[in-house]
Amino acid sequence: MELVIAVLFGAMALIAVIALAKAVRIVPQQRQDVVERLGKYKRTLNPGLNLLVPFIDAVRTKVDMREQVVSFPPQPVITSDNLVVSIDTVLYFKVIDSARATYEISNFLQAIEQLTVTTLRNVIGSLDLERALTSREEINRHLSGVLDETTGRWGIKVTRVEIKAIEPPPSIRDSMEKQMRAERDRRAAILNAEGHKQSQILTAEGEKQAAVLRADGDRQARILQAEGQAKAIRTVFDAIHQANPSQKVLAYQYLQALPQIANGTANKVWIVPAELTKALEGMGGALGGLSQMVGDAPTPQASSGASDVEREAAEAAQAAAAAARQIHDEVRVAEAQATGGHGPQGLPAPEPVSPNSLLQDPADQRERG
């Protein structure tokens, strides 16, 4: 009997311990437990110490309230230009209502995955490949809006959706690499051409400035040279006017220049009149009569060099007479070559002129004539 009583007290103690264990529930931080009473939702246990009715209340689900990260496997998606790309997505979400997440849907994680794939195909299907590769932010915002609107009634908040990778087919990748390489080559060629153009422009600007500076220097040099020549001419002109030269000096200068004119290399043809000797005789008479002109008396300073002037004048007259004879002979030879020795002869040869006759007075020649 005593044994039966002992077993009974042991069973009651065991039942009491089990009931106490079921009645006390400690919930950790960032977790909520959904409690059902007799199969019906009763309440949600918050973090801390909670008491339950043993054998009547039971914990249905333990829900993690922290933000969770789920990476979905690559999904094949067709773009608007009929290219199949593989897209990896990463989803960030958190449970904000554990009771609704438990009773509104059986498996919210699988539902979120399928909803993400469906929405992603709808979004990518309206974009071409190039826009899909460059519009990730737009795709992320669209996915977040659709998922957040749908999962809100499940007690789940989708915080962020990220596209981890978009992998086009290998052939498309090769084409894209070639296109990018061609684009880089084009940009390099454009930059090279721009640099060459800028270099040519700078070189042309430098040459232009150099030409302008050279032209300005040449202009200044010519101006200075012209000013120097003008000053020299003005000085000579003033000196001539101050010296007041006589007609004899001018005639003497003419006689000195006559042989140089005759010896010029450019003088190929001379037209010599028949009265050349008479003209020289008249010139000599003019030189002889210059001494009788009014106001042409020699100055005391010039009388000392009169003999030198007369000697030089005689030499110049001789040179002029020799040049005249040479010119006359050349004319006769040219006429003989032109007529072949049978045509009309040229003008009769003038009488030889002596140098002294050039310096004689024409009045004396008229008396002798």
Side-chain angles (χ1 to χ4, degrees):
M1 186 68 182
E2 293 180 355
L3 181 60
V4 174
I5 296 174
V7 171
L8 182 60
F9 276 109
M12 293 178 60
L14 180 61
I15 292 172
V17 172
I18 295 174
L20 181 63
K22 288 184 174 290
V24 177
R25 176 70 63 177
I26 298 176
V27 179
Q29 186 66 31
Q30 291 295 329
R31 198 185 80 180
Q32 290 182 350
D33 294 349
V34 177
V35 178
E36 294 179 349
R37 178 172 291 181
L38 301 176
K40 183 180 180 180
Y41 172 73
K42 177 60 177 179
R43 64 190 178 98
T44 301
L45 300 182
N46 293 319
L49 179 62
N50 296 274
L51 297 178
L52 302 176
V53 177
F55 305 108
I56 297 177
D57 294 339
V59 176
R60 166 70 184 273
T61 309
K62 298 178 182 179
V63 181
D64 191 352
M65 305 300 294
R66 294 175 297 178
E67 185 174 3
Q68 302 180 38
V69 181
V70 179
S71 177
F72 299 134
Q75 299 293 327
V77 180
I78 301 176
T79 61
S80 62
D81 49 356
N82 297 323
L83 293 177
V84 179
V85 294
S86 179
I87 300 180
D88 296 345
T89 54
V90 178
L91 181 66
Y92 298 82
F93 71 95
K94 64 184 299 185
V95 178
I96 57 177
D97 191 344
S98 58
R100 295 172 64 183
T102 302
Y103 295 104
E104 292 292 336
I105 190 168
S106 62
N107 189 345
F108 64 85
L109 187 59
Q110 184 181 3
I112 292 175
E113 179 181 359
Q114 296 300 322
L115 181 61
T116 302
V117 172
T118 304
T119 307
L120 185 62
R121 287 179 178 176
N122 292 333
V123 174
I124 298 298
S126 62
L127 303 175
D128 56 5
L129 178 61
E130 185 176 359
R131 188 177 176 186
L133 292 175
T134 58
S135 303
R136 293 193 178 188
E137 291 295 331
E138 181 180 354
I139 297 173
N140 293 337
R141 288 195 301 267
H142 190 76
L143 286 174
S144 297
V146 173
L147 292 175
D148 188 47
E149 181 181 0
T150 304
T151 58
R153 64 176 182 269
W154 300 339
I156 297 173
K157 173 68 175 178
V158 177
T159 58
R160 190 171 184 178
V161 179
E162 291 289 341
I163 295 179
K164 185 166 60 175
I166 299 178
E167 296 292 337
S171 60
I172 301 299
R173 286 200 301 268
D174 295 339
S175 299
M176 293 173 61
E177 290 178 359
K178 292 179 181 179
Q179 182 180 0
M180 292 301 298
R181 190 180 302 110
E183 182 67 20
R184 287 193 295 269
D185 294 340
R186 184 182 68 85
R187 292 179 181 178
I190 291 174
L191 292 177
N192 190 13
E194 288 290 339
H196 184 67
K197 173 185 175 182
Q198 193 67 21
S199 175
Q200 293 293 330
I201 290 174
L202 294 177
T203 302
E205 287 291 338
E207 292 178 355
K208 174 184 174 182
Q209 294 180 4
V212 169
L213 292 177
R214 284 195 296 268
D216 186 57
D218 190 13
R219 182 178 65 86
Q220 294 291 338
R222 291 188 179 185
I223 290 174
L224 294 176
Q225 185 178 4
E227 290 178 355
Q229 292 179 357
K231 289 182 180 179
I233 292 173
R234 190 179 299 110
T235 302
V236 173
F237 184 77
D238 293 341
I240 291 173
H241 278 276
Q242 290 177 4
N244 192 16
S246 63
Q247 297 294 332
K248 291 181 178 180
V249 177
L250 297 178
Y252 172 66
Q253 293 293 333
Y254 176 77
L255 291 176
Q256 283 185 336
L258 187 59
Q260 297 179 0
I261 294 174
N263 292 329
T265 57
N267 298 328
K268 301 299 181 182
V269 179
W270 285 77
I271 300 176
V272 182
E275 292 82 3
L276 178 61
T277 55
K278 292 183 180 180
L280 293 176
E281 291 177 359
M283 187 183 298
L287 293 175
L290 288 176
S291 60
Q292 298 177 1
M293 296 179 64
V294 180
D296 198 20
T299 59
Q301 291 82 2
S303 61
S304 60
S307 60
D308 296 336
V309 173
E310 292 177 356
R311 184 174 64 255
E312 292 180 1
E315 294 176 356
Q318 292 178 0
R325 287 194 298 271
Q326 182 179 359
I327 293 170
H328 186 268
D329 294 339
E330 292 179 356
V331 170
R332 294 296 299 274
V333 172
E335 289 179 352
Q337 293 178 355
T339 57
H342 301 287
Q345 300 296 326
L347 297 175
E351 297 178 358
V353 182
S354 63
N356 293 329
S357 64
L358 295 175
L359 300 175
Q360 291 178 359
D361 192 356
D364 297 338
Q365 293 180 2
R366 285 194 299 273
E367 291 177 359
R368 289 194 298 270

